[in-house]
Amino acid sequence: MDIVTLQDGPVIARFVPHAGMIGISLSDDGTELLGQRRGLDTYISAGKTMGLPLLHPWANRLSVNNFEPDAAGVRTDPNGLPIHGLLAAHPDWEVVSQSAQTLVAHFDFAAHPELLASFPYPHLLEIAVTLSGRTLTLRTTVTATGGTAVPLCFGFHPYLQIPGVPRGQWWVETPALRHLPVDERGLPTGESTTAPAAREVLGDRAFDDGYDQVPHGAVFAVSAGDRRIQVQFLEGYPAAQIFAPPAEDVICFEPMAAPTDALTRGDYRTAAPGNPAVASFSITV
C-alpha cells in the first residue's frame, strides 16, 4: 500500500490514498504530532480511527440505524449507532496528481452501487492536500454527478499530540462557539449554550463536545513547552467536535460540514448539481 510523502523543510506529512486517503503522520523535525493510537493496520481492518482520517458522508454518529445488517462500510458504536460514515480505509481512491508538496486524489462515489444503497447521492469527492512552510491544508470538493443535491455532513478527525509534555500541562485555545449538549448516547439534545472564547489548561478534563456557529477562519489550538499546533477552519466547516479522552494523550479539533446527526435531522447544506461545494481547513505546527 503506497504511502505518499510531502515535505517542506523539517515538516513531513504522510498519506495513504488507498486506505481511505488517511493522513498517517505529521512530523516536525522527527517529532510525530498525530496520535497513532491502534495504528494503520487496525484502521484498515476495523475502522478504528488514528492519525488524520476522513469521515464521509457523515461525521460522528447518527441517531437511527436504518441500514441493512451487512451494508457496505457501516460501522456502529457501542450503542449500535452508525458512526464515522462509509469510507473508512476504502481502497478505491485514485491519485490524480502529486508532487513534493501536493497530493490530489478522487473518489467516485457513484461508481459504487453498494455505497449508493446507503447514501443515494452520486458524487465525486476530491481531496487536495498541500504542505507549505509549516502549514498542511486539506481542501475537499464535493461535486454532484447525478440530478440530486448531495448532503454535506462529512468531516475530519485529526488526532493531535505534543510528545514530551504531560497531557495535563497542555493549553487549549478555542474561539467563541455555540455548545450543543448531548444525551447519554452522544447525540445532540436540541438545546444549546454559549461558549465564549477560551484559553485554559487541559488538566484532567475530558472533551467529547459538539459545537456549531463556528466562525469563518476560526482557530483552535493546543500548545505546551515550545510547541503549538493550530487548526484553522478556513471555509465550509460551520460545526466542530472537540475530543480529548482522559486515558489518551491526544486532542482533536474536528472540522465538520454539519453537526452530529445532521444527516438524520435534515439540518445540512448541499452540493447542488452544477455547483460543487468546497471546504478547507489547515493544521499549522
Side-chain angles (χ1 to χ4, degrees):
M1 192 167 291
D2 292 338
I3 298 174
V4 176
T5 300
L6 311 179
Q7 181 168 4
D8 193 351
V11 180
I12 299 175
R14 292 187 171 92
F15 285 79
V16 185
H18 299 300
M21 193 56 183
I22 187 173
I24 59 169
S25 176
L26 179 61
S27 63
D28 178 14
D29 200 21
T31 299
E32 180 59 61
L33 303 177
L34 291 184
Q36 299 301 296
R37 309 189 82 212
R38 304 170 187 87
L40 179 61
D41 288 346
T42 303
Y43 178 65
I44 293 172
S45 63
K48 302 296 185 181
T49 50
M50 56 82 66
L52 174 51
L54 166 71
L55 314 178
H56 183 83
W58 71 87
N60 214 296
R61 53 181 52 81
L62 302 179
S63 59
V64 179
N65 188 348
N66 288 329
F67 301 105
E68 295 296 328
D70 58 349
V74 175
R75 292 182 169 88
T76 56
D77 70 3
N79 291 310
L81 300 179
I83 192 167
H84 292 169
L86 303 172
L87 297 187
H90 204 291
D92 290 349
W93 283 81
E94 176 188 359
V95 174
V96 177
S97 65
Q98 68 180 89
S99 68
Q101 296 171 355
T102 64
L103 167 64
V104 180
H106 286 172
F107 185 87
D108 186 359
F109 202 93
H112 294 272
E114 74 282 6
L115 297 177
L116 288 173
S118 296
F119 188 74
Y121 306 97
H123 63 282
L124 182 69
L125 187 63
E126 176 187 282
I127 297 179
V129 184
T130 303
L131 179 63
S132 179
R134 305 185 68 80
T135 298
L136 180 73
T137 302
L138 281 77
R139 177 183 171 92
T140 301
T141 304
V142 177
T143 303
T145 55
T148 307
V150 183
L152 302 174
C153 299
F154 65 90
F156 287 83
H157 203 312
Y159 289 92
L160 307 178
Q161 63 179 12
I162 301 183
V165 181
R167 175 193 189 277
Q169 297 177 20
W170 297 358
W171 283 87
V172 178
E173 303 168 40
T174 54
L177 303 163
R178 185 170 70 169
H179 182 228
L180 307 176
V182 297
D183 62 19
E184 66 280 358
R185 299 177 298 165
L187 297 166
T189 62
E191 300 177 348
S192 64
T193 59
T194 299
R199 183 176 187 271
E200 56 189 351
V201 175
L202 181 57
D204 59 1
R205 181 176 178 183
F207 279 94
D208 195 0
D209 294 78
Y211 304 86
D212 66 0
Q213 297 187 355
V214 179
H216 182 78
V219 170
F220 300 75
V222 58
S223 58
D226 60 356
R227 189 177 299 282
R228 183 173 187 269
I229 309 173
Q230 168 184 300
V231 180
Q232 185 169 19
F233 290 28
L234 299 171
E235 61 176 323
Y237 292 114
Q241 188 83 8
I242 300 178
F243 179 61
E248 293 187 58
D249 292 342
V250 294
I251 186 167
C252 309
F253 306 114
E254 305 170 34
M256 296 168 63
T260 297
D261 199 33
L263 186 60
T264 300
R265 303 177 188 215
D267 181 20
Y268 49 73
R269 298 170 298 118
T270 62
N275 188 22
V278 175
S280 61
F281 75 97
S282 64
I283 303 174
T284 300
V285 303

